[in-house]
Amino acid sequence: MQIRSIAIVGGGTAGWLAASMLARALPGSGTVITLIESPDIGTVGVGEATIPPIIDLLRFLSINEEDFVRHTNATYKLGIKFTDWMAPGHTYWHPFGTFGAAINRRPFHHCWHKARASGVALRFNDYSVCAALADEGKFQFPANNPDSAASGLRYALHFDAILVARYLRSYAERLGVIRIEGNVVGATMRANGFLDALQFSDGSTHQADLYIDCSGFRGILIEKVLGTGYLDWTAVLPCDRAVAFPTSLTLPRPPYTHSLARSAGWQWRIPLQHRVGNGYVYSSAHCTDEQALADLLGTTGGKPLAEPRFLRFVTGRRKLYWNRNCVALGLASGFLEPLESTSIHLVTSGLYHLLEHFPDLGFDQTNIDSYNRELIEECERVRDFIVLHYCLTRRDDAPLWRYCQSMPLPDTLRERIELYKGTGRIRIRAGELFTDLSWFYIFEGLGVRPASYDPLLDVIPEGKLREILVSMARATVAATKGAPSHDSYFKAGCQT
Ligand SMILES: Cc1cc2nc3c(=O)[nH]c(=O)nc-3n(C[C@H](O)[C@H](O)[C@H](O)COP(=O)(O)OP(=O)(O)OC[C@H]3O[C@@H](n4cnc5c(N)ncnc54)[C@H](O)[C@@H]3O)c2cc1C
């Protein structure tokens, strides 16, 4: 009853991640893993910003982080800087890592609200090592000393997506993954509706027990063959286009992703060792492709290094991620715009969940249902988090931003916003990617001030609270003052 063969369709980041993680997790099982890549259809070629679980992924794969950073031209990321999102001229941070520390076991953001209600002048960066470092263009690794504020630092990577796929390919091939070039045009089916064999444009076929669809937006197996269906979330995330191109390196390289709100969407700036990744994610209802390109060209700074690439997408998800003997990952499973750099993480999460639900040839339906339920829940909470960035804006200078303030929100998000506005509480469910801290950063950054804070904090006298805040701010300064510049990590020659 053991799965003996797995066929992965697609050789983009999702495909090679799937090949790497499965090959790593199933060594010596006798399961043959084959990856099929089209020689004619390119990869999406973007996907350069990540979140801290990328570091855990490297550990899971036993990949040496330094080696990976060198070969993918990666830089370090301490968070995201949001400019012009609440209102033109306004900036806020979504840093990684800790923010202050719990007092009396109450989350620090309640102390923050209490202190503000008491008239204490607060500086955000005094309580976030990541934001303090990022603001100064510095970087350091987390401190081993638990007494240092820098022990709560977390970081992620910016990397070259093409080099990552190349790196993972060589990793997976070393572990025995077989690579085939071919254009999949369809699949034959078994009587029970399961996929039987892939059909190639040259008439050949390839059979496997389990299929992983990583074919990008096409979803050749999950949609074209199995007709799984798609839920469209454009009503709450109206951006449906992107234009992207790299520009020449500009120094210094900031240790963060810069996200700048624009009239019809937002622009990213991602510093790599050898160049800068730029893109404009926009709503086609509010901006033409020509206008988007002109806007982006006018703001990137460096010299364009390649022709602009236009991408179209429909934000949403497949109704099922796992349908019969086919699991969809990456763009084949759906798409949430890259505002919080979540797509690659969701591929990884899909794979960890697959390993936890690894099937046998019986393909137990309750197992498949459990997989779908957990990932749908995770994806929908990420969707809510991304929508939060839009719906709380106060910008009224463009139709897109006015729309975002009045669009109907998912109940799950509406309830979370109401709870926060009334009480300052953020209740996170098990398995959610973004913590209460991340939600706090966006609420706070977008100027939402709750009506109250946790009343249990009133047992702390105001003077004592001030004392604690001063000592936390000092600890942040102590943890960051000797840190080297982010650029100093990349003096050696880079790949091009
Ligand atoms: C504008 C934009 C910005 C993004 N930014 C980020 C970011 O900052 N961070 C992040 O985490 N994610 C980001 N993403 C998402 C990220 O790029 C993808 O999740 C990631 O690259 C995985 O893509 P993929 O492998 O699913 O698809 P693709 O890269 O499109 O790869 C598809 C593969 O399938 C193959 N294929 C397709 N059809 C067939 C066929 N019929 N037969 C055989 N092979 C076939 C192709 O040859 C290719 O190898 C972004 C996406 C977009 C659109």
Side-chain angles (χ1 to χ4, degrees):
M1 288 298 281
Q2 198 191 326
I3 296 284
R4 289 267 164 219
S5 51
I6 303 174
I8 301 166
V9 177
T13 309
W16 284 114
L17 260 177
S20 302
M21 289 178 71
L22 291 172
R24 171 83 178 91
L26 306 171
S29 65
T31 306
V32 178
I33 304 172
T34 308
L35 183 143
I36 297 111
E37 192 170 4
S38 163
D40 305 316
I41 307 169
T43 63
V44 71
V46 282
E48 302 190 326
T50 64
I51 49 179
I54 191 74
I55 305 300
D56 305 325
L57 172 71
L58 295 180
R59 280 189 204 127
F60 171 80
L61 295 174
S62 303
I63 287 177
N64 176 288
E65 188 182 314
E66 246 181 87
D67 186 65
F68 184 80
V69 164
R70 195 166 50 248
H71 283 92
T72 60
N73 274 338
T75 60
Y76 300 106
K77 170 178 171 184
L78 292 166
I80 305 177
K81 181 176 179 175
F82 290 96
T83 297
D84 299 339
W85 277 83
M86 183 184 87
H90 178 267
T91 282
Y92 73 93
W93 286 98
H94 176 187
F96 301 138
T98 50
F99 184 67
I103 302 179
N104 277 11
R105 292 174 54 86
R106 310 322 304 154
F108 182 70
H109 54 87
H110 283 290
C111 308
W112 173 272
H113 297 313
K114 176 178 161 70
R116 182 160 48 211
S118 322
V120 178
L122 293 160
R123 283 188 349 134
F124 183 88
N125 289 6
D126 282 348
Y127 307 98
S128 165
V129 171
C130 287
L133 288 170
D135 231 358
E136 293 182 22
K138 292 177 171 178
F139 177 77
Q140 68 185 45
F141 291 99
N144 280 327
N145 172 7
D147 293 335
S148 162
S151 63
L153 180 154
R154 292 197 78 201
Y155 65 98
L157 302 173
H158 295 126
F159 50 47
D160 182 320
I162 306 290
L163 295 179
V164 167
R166 202 182 287 167
Y167 190 99
L168 291 176
R169 173 179 162 185
S170 106
Y171 173 92
E173 287 185 325
R174 274 200 311 278
L175 291 186
V177 171
I178 301 162
R179 175 179 174 273
I180 300 179
E181 281 198 1
N183 288 310
V184 176
V185 289
T188 54
M189 311 293 284
R190 295 179 203 152
N192 61 1
F194 278 46
L195 301 176
D196 187 38
L198 300 174
Q199 296 173 305
F200 293 96
S201 54
D202 64 3
S204 61
T205 59
H206 179 89
Q207 199 166 33
D209 297 330
L210 173 66
Y211 293 88
I212 313 281
D213 188 345
C214 296
S215 63
F217 289 127
R218 281 177 181 77
I220 181 84
L221 301 179
I222 196 78
E223 200 58 57
K224 297 268 159 44
V225 177
L226 291 172
T228 302
Y230 196 80
L231 294 176
D232 180 338
W233 290 337
T234 311
V236 286
L237 288 169
C239 291
D240 57 356
R241 298 276 192 282
V243 55
F245 58 84
T247 50
S248 55
L249 182 62
T250 47
L251 294 175
R253 304 169 187 89
Y256 54 83
T257 305
H258 199 173
S259 165
L260 303 101
R262 316 275 307 165
S263 61
W266 62 278
Q267 175 185 346
W268 78 74
R269 252 183 230 152
I270 297 178
L272 302 185
Q273 289 187 32
H274 60 315
R275 62 165 170 80
V276 180
N278 308 279
Y280 184 7
V281 175
Y282 56 98
S283 153
S284 62
H286 299 100
C287 181
T288 63
D289 291 348
E290 294 70 30
Q291 187 59 53
L293 177 60
D295 284 358
L296 186 60
L297 277 168
T299 53
T300 51
K303 183 166 88 37
L305 298 177
E307 287 300 308
R309 184 151 193 197
F310 286 92
L311 298 146
R312 295 173 168 224
F313 51 85
V314 179
T315 295
R317 67 164 173 86
R318 296 273 169 238
K319 288 185 177 160
L320 298 172
Y321 296 130
W322 183 342
N323 189 357
R324 300 189 174 92
N325 58 341
C326 174
V327 176
L329 291 169
L331 301 174
S333 70
F335 184 61
L336 282 169
E337 56 159 275
L339 187 58
E340 285 282 351
S341 325
T342 42
S343 289
I344 293 170
H345 171 76
L346 291 174
V347 175
T348 315
S349 176
L351 284 155
Y352 287 130
H353 278 80
L354 178 59
L355 293 173
E356 277 155 24
H357 290 84
F358 203 73
D360 62 18
L361 291 176
F363 282 98
D364 186 302
Q365 189 56 44
T366 50
N367 182 55
I368 296 176
D369 293 344
S370 167
Y371 175 91
N372 280 320
R373 208 172 26 250
E374 287 174 20
L375 282 180
I376 288 169
E377 172 73 16
E378 179 178 32
C379 179
E380 296 196 344
R381 295 298 76 73
V382 173
R383 173 205 61 196
D384 288 358
F385 185 62
I386 295 175
V387 175
L388 185 75
H389 297 62
Y390 284 94
C391 69
L392 296 178
T393 180
R394 296 184 195 169
R395 286 185 71 136
D396 61 359
D397 55 324
L400 172 75
W401 298 106
R402 287 194 289 276
Y403 170 77
C404 289
Q405 290 173 65
S406 60
M407 63 191 176
L409 301 179
D411 287 346
T412 40
L413 174 58
R414 201 177 31 73
E415 284 160 16
R416 201 166 264 187
I417 295 173
E418 280 167 15
L419 179 66
Y420 183 78
K421 283 185 172 169
T423 66
R425 292 201 164 97
I426 303 161
R427 304 299 299 159
I428 297 295
R429 294 192 216 160
E432 278 196 45
L433 173 59
F434 290 103
T435 62
D436 55 345
L437 255 187
S438 287
W439 282 78
F440 162 73
Y441 294 139
I442 310 306
F443 279 127
E444 177 69 19
L446 291 169
V448 180
R449 305 287 178 253
S452 61
Y453 54 83
D454 192 328
L456 295 183
L457 276 176
D458 279 336
V459 299
I460 302 174
E462 220 179 282
K464 178 75 185 158
L465 180 65
R466 281 175 197 262
E467 238 174 66
I468 297 173
L469 291 171
V470 168
S471 96
M472 281 184 187
R474 278 200 196 118
T476 303
V477 172
T480 55
K481 71 170 184 272
S485 78
H486 181 234
D487 267 334
S488 67
Y489 289 81
F490 312 112
K491 289 218 171 92
C494 311
Q495 307 246 324
T496 47

